[in-house]
Amino acid sequence: IDSESLQDQLSTQITRNPDTVTTSSNLAYVIYTSGTTGNPKGVLQPHGNIMRLFTATNNWYNFDKNDVWTVFHSYVFDFSIWEIWGALVYGGRLVIPSYEQTRDLNVFYELCKEEQITVLNQTPSAFYQFIDIATSESTQNKLTNIRYIIFGGEALNISQLKPWFDYYGCNQTKLINMYGITETTVHVTYKAITE
């Protein structure tokens, strides 16, 4: 297609945003969970549940356009809803790591430094391994940009966070334990963790 023909085609297109008829009760996504039953079931989540999540948590975090998030978790895990929409709702930047970067925490640590991640979401089991790298003497620089590390998806063993607090303290980066079931759209509890 030549550029004149393309310009002619484009000039006939509508130039304003389309009207939307979507409401907060319309379906945003379907996600499957086994919950405590072990039997997979589809959970229907409307747009309003996503907005409830961020409206209810806004005063705790005050996320903004300067925040940089990662999508560390698979999009089939509801934690990814928090990661993806957290960045988008507040106008922040969303970094999508490669498969290798999510499987090799040394590489992921470097990504966090390079991209200046400010909001890191982790399952506790992944973070315990991340602590070993982030507190290693072989790492040249501390992670100084992270404002929040938010845990979810499984039980948190507080004693395993001691090496993090010994190395980083608790003034710059806030560690938050959150939990919720898929049916409630990711998180419903909040507990700040201190030394």
Side-chain angles (χ1 to χ4, degrees):
I1 215 169
D2 63 57
S3 62
E4 272 185 49
S5 176
L6 181 59
Q7 285 178 338
D8 289 343
Q9 288 178 12
L10 291 175
S11 68
T12 64
Q13 301 300 310
I14 297 171
T15 58
R16 63 175 173 76
N17 287 332
D19 294 330
T20 181
V21 294
T22 304
T23 68
S24 63
S25 62
N26 287 116
L27 185 64
Y29 64 93
V30 177
I31 193 164
Y32 284 81
T33 180
S34 62
T36 57
T37 67
N39 296 318
K41 64 178 180 238
V43 177
L44 309 173
Q45 295 292 3
H47 290 273
N49 284 18
I50 299 169
M51 291 314 299
R52 180 227 34 99
L53 172 65
F54 292 105
T55 301
T57 59
N58 188 47
N59 289 335
W60 296 334
Y61 296 106
N62 296 308
F63 296 130
D64 63 30
K65 66 181 182 178
N66 298 309
D67 281 313
V68 182
W69 300 59
T70 66
V71 184
F72 184 83
H73 300 92
S74 167
Y75 65 88
V76 299
F77 178 27
D78 66 351
F79 211 164
S80 69
I81 300 301
W82 171 257
E83 294 172 314
I84 295 167
W85 289 102
L88 298 178
V89 164
Y90 295 101
R93 189 161 56 93
L94 184 61
V95 175
I96 303 173
S98 69
Y99 179 80
E100 178 194 8
Q101 289 168 323
T102 62
R103 295 298 174 254
D104 183 336
L105 292 178
N106 286 296
V107 176
F108 184 69
Y109 175 85
E110 292 303 320
L111 176 75
C112 289
K113 282 185 359 187
E114 289 170 19
E115 296 293 339
Q116 300 181 350
I117 301 301
T118 63
V119 181
L120 179 60
N121 300 281
Q122 293 280 280
T123 58
S125 57
F127 189 69
Y128 304 146
Q129 296 171 47
F130 188 80
I131 289 173
D132 291 341
I133 297 159
T135 60
S136 167
E137 289 183 21
S138 66
T139 57
Q140 295 177 348
N141 300 320
K142 286 185 174 183
L143 295 171
T144 58
N145 291 305
I146 299 179
R147 295 189 324 127
Y148 297 107
I149 298 172
I150 301 163
F151 301 110
E154 60 192 34
L156 177 65
N157 181 339
I158 303 294
S159 65
Q160 288 190 262
L161 301 177
K162 186 176 182 336
W164 175 272
F165 284 116
D166 289 347
Y167 194 75
Y168 285 94
C170 66
N171 293 327
Q172 181 175 341
T173 302
K174 305 294 182 217
L175 277 61
I176 311 293
N177 190 26
M178 295 187 77
Y179 185 76
I181 58 174
T182 301
E183 291 82 353
T184 60
T185 311
V186 191
H187 298 306
V188 294
T189 66
Y190 171 100
K191 175 68 177 167
I193 309 298
T194 64
E195 290 174 295

